[in-house]
Amino acid sequence: MKNSLFLALSVFFFSCNKPIEKNQVLQNRIDSLKIKLSKTYKPGFGEFMTVIQIHHAKLWFAGQNKNWKLADFEINEIKENLEGIQQYCKDRPETKSLGIIDPAMNSISNSIQQKNQKAFQKDYINLTNSCNTCHQETKHEYNVIKIPETPPFSNQDFRLNERE
């Protein structure tokens, strides 16, 4: 009887110890993943702004060529990058000022949807001015954006594909 009781108690204590060990193993994995995650690359504010500037330029040439599908793509790329700033650069004070360009973004999106080149040109200037206003407000007045004179890439045709 003593042996049976001892065996039962041993099994009980041994099995109770297993969840603690499993929990510790899982906690160690979680801690390891947290360390890896903290070392994962995340783009900085400047990287996002550089990409936005590229899409801003491409947007201009798409609109000038009445390539509305490309213009719509480019404005959405700008929106996506602005969302990236809000997700990954929350700690930057400049992030709070991004709303300055929302009205201009909405206006240019509407002119693209309406396929109205005249409105697009006006709205593009307004968007560009809004970017510069934001730069001034955030003490980056030295970064002046303008209407591009040449396409940012020589290997892209901004004209609408004639087969469409």
Side-chain angles (χ1 to χ4, degrees):
M1 185 73 157
K2 284 184 177 180
N3 286 341
S4 295
L5 183 60
F6 178 74
L7 182 63
L9 286 172
S10 296
V11 168
F12 175 75
F13 285 119
F14 180 74
S15 63
C16 286
N17 195 26
K18 283 289 186 190
I20 292 171
E21 289 176 16
K22 285 183 181 178
N23 286 345
Q24 188 58 50
V25 167
L26 290 174
Q27 187 61 52
N28 289 345
R29 285 185 186 168
I30 290 170
D31 293 343
S32 173
L33 289 171
K34 283 181 178 177
I35 290 169
K36 286 180 182 177
L37 188 59
S38 72
K39 294 179 181 179
T40 302
Y41 172 78
K42 69 174 189 173
F45 204 92
E47 283 79 17
F48 280 113
M49 281 295 159
T50 297
V51 172
I52 289 170
Q53 188 172 359
I54 291 168
H55 291 294
H56 177 264
K58 291 172 74 170
L59 173 63
W60 174 252
F61 290 103
Q64 288 303 102
N65 286 281
K66 298 181 184 177
N67 188 340
W68 301 118
K69 285 183 182 180
L70 179 58
D72 186 58
F73 175 80
E74 295 301 341
I75 197 67
N76 283 303
E77 289 296 302
I78 293 171
K79 288 176 186 176
E80 201 174 277
N81 278 279
L82 291 170
E83 290 168 5
I85 289 172
Q86 292 171 338
Q87 180 177 354
Y88 294 107
C89 303
K90 293 175 186 174
D91 58 331
R92 292 285 298 258
E94 298 93 330
T95 302
K96 294 178 182 122
S97 298
L98 289 177
I100 289 173
I101 68 167
D102 288 346
M105 291 288 290
N106 292 336
S107 292
I108 198 162
S109 290
N110 289 336
S111 64
I112 291 168
Q113 295 307 312
Q114 295 169 6
K115 300 177 180 178
N116 184 333
Q117 191 178 34
K118 208 169 205 170
F120 171 85
Q121 291 170 340
K122 179 179 92 37
D123 292 335
Y124 187 90
I125 291 168
N126 186 36
L127 175 62
T128 303
N129 290 337
S130 296
C131 291
N132 288 321
T133 298
C134 188
H135 291 169
Q136 291 167 0
E137 184 171 303
T138 60
K139 309 279 190 272
H140 294 87
E141 66 282 348
Y142 50 85
N143 191 348
V144 179
I145 305 301
K146 65 179 196 138
I147 295 175
E149 297 168 12
T150 57
F153 301 104
S154 62
N155 62 344
Q156 183 171 6
D157 187 351
F158 291 92
R159 294 172 294 179
L160 183 61
N161 187 335
E162 297 300 323
R163 295 182 298 218
E164 294 182 26

